[in-house]
Amino acid sequence: MRLTDLTLTLRELYNKGFVPTLRANSTGVGYTLEHYLGVSENNLPIPDIGGRTEVKATRITSTSLITLFTFNKGVWQFDQKEVLSRFGYKDAKGRQALKSTVNAVEENAQGFKLTVDESEHTVALIHVPSEVLVAKWSLWTLVGKFLLKFERMLFVRAKSRKIHNTEEFHYIEASILSEPDVETFLSAMQHGVCMIDIRMHLNEKGGVRNRGTAIRVREADITRLFSKRMPLL
């Protein structure tokens, strides 16, 4: 799909007004958009702006966090089973678990905080009450992953309403975001715009099930990670 065709398709979708969701959960806004764009994955080939483009859609009232990417190259300072034993809790299924969203601005309810060290090029996960270094990641690994995945993004915002218990969307804004900026990403980490999600638990056999560490951001803050914005709608 070329950029002119994409713009026309988005305009046609805008003119439809509210359309019923095609998936009845939080991912419905993106799934429904992809259906109307005619894509079956979460990216879109747009050859005249340089190739494949990540597609993200959000409700304009959303304060939710979305996952930018996941990674598994955390350098845990001791065995993950010990991490769960020392800092985890029993989840709703009775498993020893640790699911925690952490930022670099403030200590969270579980006592964790991030420390961004630009001179050492690291992001450290600290348990503040015990002053224990739990994990440390390469800052450049995170930046590289971000730049590789988000060279450009089609970012669409929609109004949402419910009619007879069915959610409907009116897609009212669309932009191509491009040129993700290293300094902007680092600043976002330092100021709590970008957060890290720890997601692990012990499985039935007593082994660690780590779903991958995730970099997350509030949907409303996505545009802050890019230096260029091209409005389409």
Side-chain angles (χ1 to χ4, degrees):
M1 181 182 292
R2 302 195 70 83
L3 185 60
T4 52
D5 298 325
L6 173 60
T7 303
L8 179 61
T9 299
L10 289 167
R11 175 58 58 181
E12 291 173 347
L13 180 55
Y14 171 84
N15 289 336
K16 287 179 183 291
F18 281 93
V19 296
T21 186
L22 300 176
R23 178 179 286 172
N25 58 36
S26 61
T27 63
V29 62
Y31 182 82
T32 304
L33 174 66
E34 289 177 349
H35 166 79
Y36 281 100
L37 295 180
V39 296
S40 58
E41 301 176 6
N42 65 348
N43 53 47
L44 182 69
I46 310 176
D48 51 342
I49 65 169
R52 302 193 76 83
T53 299
E54 190 80 12
V55 177
K56 292 287 184 183
T58 180
R59 299 161 180 82
I60 61 172
T61 56
S62 175
T63 58
S64 299
L65 295 173
I66 65 169
T67 298
L68 294 176
F69 57 87
T70 60
F71 58 100
N72 291 295
K73 293 186 178 180
V75 182
W76 298 94
Q77 301 302 293
F78 38 90
D79 186 81
Q80 291 181 48
K81 187 175 288 189
E82 185 180 349
V83 173
L84 284 167
S85 174
R86 292 176 64 176
F87 306 111
Y89 56 87
K90 294 295 183 182
D91 67 11
K93 296 182 179 180
R95 306 171 301 190
Q96 189 71 8
L98 180 58
K99 298 176 183 178
S100 188
T101 301
V102 194
N103 66 52
V105 174
E106 58 186 359
E107 176 184 343
N108 72 7
Q110 293 163 310
F112 292 108
K113 186 178 179 182
L114 298 178
T115 299
V116 180
D117 189 331
E118 288 192 64
S119 63
E120 294 292 328
H121 311 304
T122 59
V123 178
L125 175 67
I126 308 294
H127 186 253
V128 177
S130 60
E131 299 183 344
V132 171
L133 171 63
V134 180
K136 186 183 290 186
W137 296 273
S138 163
L139 192 55
W140 298 122
T141 296
L142 303 185
V143 171
K145 185 95 173 179
F146 171 69
L147 296 180
L148 180 64
K149 184 173 182 181
F150 291 102
E151 183 179 356
R152 66 190 63 82
M153 177 191 293
L154 170 62
F155 184 57
V156 182
R157 302 175 75 222
K159 291 182 178 179
S160 170
R161 71 181 185 187
K162 278 198 172 181
I163 301 295
H164 305 302
N165 293 320
T166 297
E167 189 172 18
E168 295 183 344
F169 303 114
H170 184 196
Y171 295 93
I172 61 169
E173 295 178 15
S175 300
I176 296 289
L177 307 178
S178 62
E179 297 189 14
D181 185 86
V182 173
E183 293 302 321
T184 300
F185 182 80
L186 296 180
S187 176
M189 289 292 299
Q190 291 170 325
H191 292 90
V193 175
C194 286
M195 295 159 256
I196 284 182
D197 247 12
I198 308 300
R199 309 179 299 177
M200 64 173 75
H201 64 265
L202 289 182
N203 61 29
E204 295 176 354
K205 296 181 180 180
V208 176
R209 171 75 167 93
N210 190 333
R211 296 177 54 223
T213 306
I215 289 287
R216 307 193 78 195
V217 64
R218 295 195 186 281
E219 292 178 336
D221 289 330
I222 287 178
T223 57
R224 296 173 61 177
L225 302 178
F226 297 84
S227 58
K228 282 193 174 181
R229 177 176 176 269
M230 179 196 305
L232 303 181
L233 190 63

